[in-house]
Amino acid sequence: MKQISLIVFFITFTQISLAQELLKFDKFNDFEKAIIKNDANVYVINFWATWCAPCVKELPYFEKLHQENKDVKVILVSLDSKKDIEKKLIPFIQKKKITAQVVSLSDNNYNSWLDRIDKDWSGSIPATFIFSAGQKQFAEHDFESFAELNEFINTFTNQKK
């Protein structure tokens, strides 16, 4: 009986711990103030959702980037609806063992903020936004491999030098 209680406690603690690490934003303005920084760090922001097959397919590439390239800050911005955070998003993050920063952005008034990321963004996902010290680069497509994502990142970082 003690083992079952311990297992239930561990599972509950893990879920609570992850839920505390997941940053949640209802409004883009709050997200922008907290995440979009104009400093010397290179930020790689991937907009995705659990229901988007191409997004899910490329997530391992971003996770690998996060684990292997400490020169960039990878942020995975989930556009899943607010009602799906607890039942879909958090279990998905746990199942896939995602260690990169995951952020929930549930502002579905897309027309008010898409062009603040990139003026040509149609709103389709996956989409990736890289920025650092006033420079930025945007891709509105999925990456077919880690090598393709890495090349995209390297192109940006080489332009910064």
Side-chain angles (χ1 to χ4, degrees):
M1 186 66 167
K2 287 183 181 180
Q3 283 183 322
I4 292 173
S5 296
L6 188 58
I7 292 170
V8 170
F9 172 77
F10 179 73
I11 291 170
T12 304
F13 179 77
T14 302
Q15 289 175 340
I16 290 169
S17 175
L18 179 60
Q20 291 171 347
E21 293 174 14
L22 176 70
L23 298 176
K24 300 175 189 175
F25 297 97
D26 293 332
K27 298 292 178 197
F28 181 82
N29 287 343
D30 297 331
F31 164 82
E32 186 176 41
K33 287 176 191 170
I35 304 298
I36 310 292
K37 302 188 187 301
N38 192 18
D39 59 29
N41 292 309
V42 175
Y43 296 88
V44 177
I45 298 183
N46 179 253
F47 293 90
W48 68 288
T50 59
W51 47 262
C52 168
C55 300
V56 171
K57 179 183 172 217
E58 73 175 9
L59 277 178
Y61 312 145
F62 287 94
E63 181 65 19
K64 183 175 180 177
L65 179 69
H66 165 70
Q67 292 177 4
E68 292 183 2
N69 189 340
K70 299 305 179 193
D71 293 333
V72 300
K73 296 182 182 291
V74 176
I75 303 171
L76 305 173
V77 179
S78 168
L79 298 179
D80 285 274
S81 68
K82 193 173 184 176
K83 68 178 179 55
D84 290 334
I85 292 172
E86 298 297 325
K87 291 187 178 180
K88 292 183 181 174
L89 179 59
I90 291 174
F92 179 90
I93 294 166
Q94 291 172 332
K95 180 181 176 187
K96 299 292 185 180
K97 296 181 171 92
I98 295 173
T99 61
Q101 175 67 59
V102 178
V103 171
S104 171
L105 177 58
S106 55
D107 186 343
N108 59 4
N109 187 8
Y110 304 107
N111 290 333
S112 71
W113 59 266
L114 288 176
D115 63 347
R116 288 163 64 184
I117 297 295
D118 188 89
K119 65 179 179 58
D120 296 322
W121 187 12
S122 73
S124 69
I125 55 174
T128 303
F129 178 50
I130 304 173
F131 62 95
S132 176
Q135 293 180 303
K136 63 182 186 174
Q137 188 168 316
F138 183 76
E140 187 175 8
H141 63 77
D142 55 318
F143 293 96
E144 294 295 322
S145 66
F146 175 74
E148 183 184 359
L149 172 61
N150 204 38
E151 183 179 326
F152 181 71
I153 304 300
N154 288 336
T155 300
F156 178 80
T157 56
N158 289 339
Q159 288 174 0
K160 274 190 62 185
K161 294 177 182 176

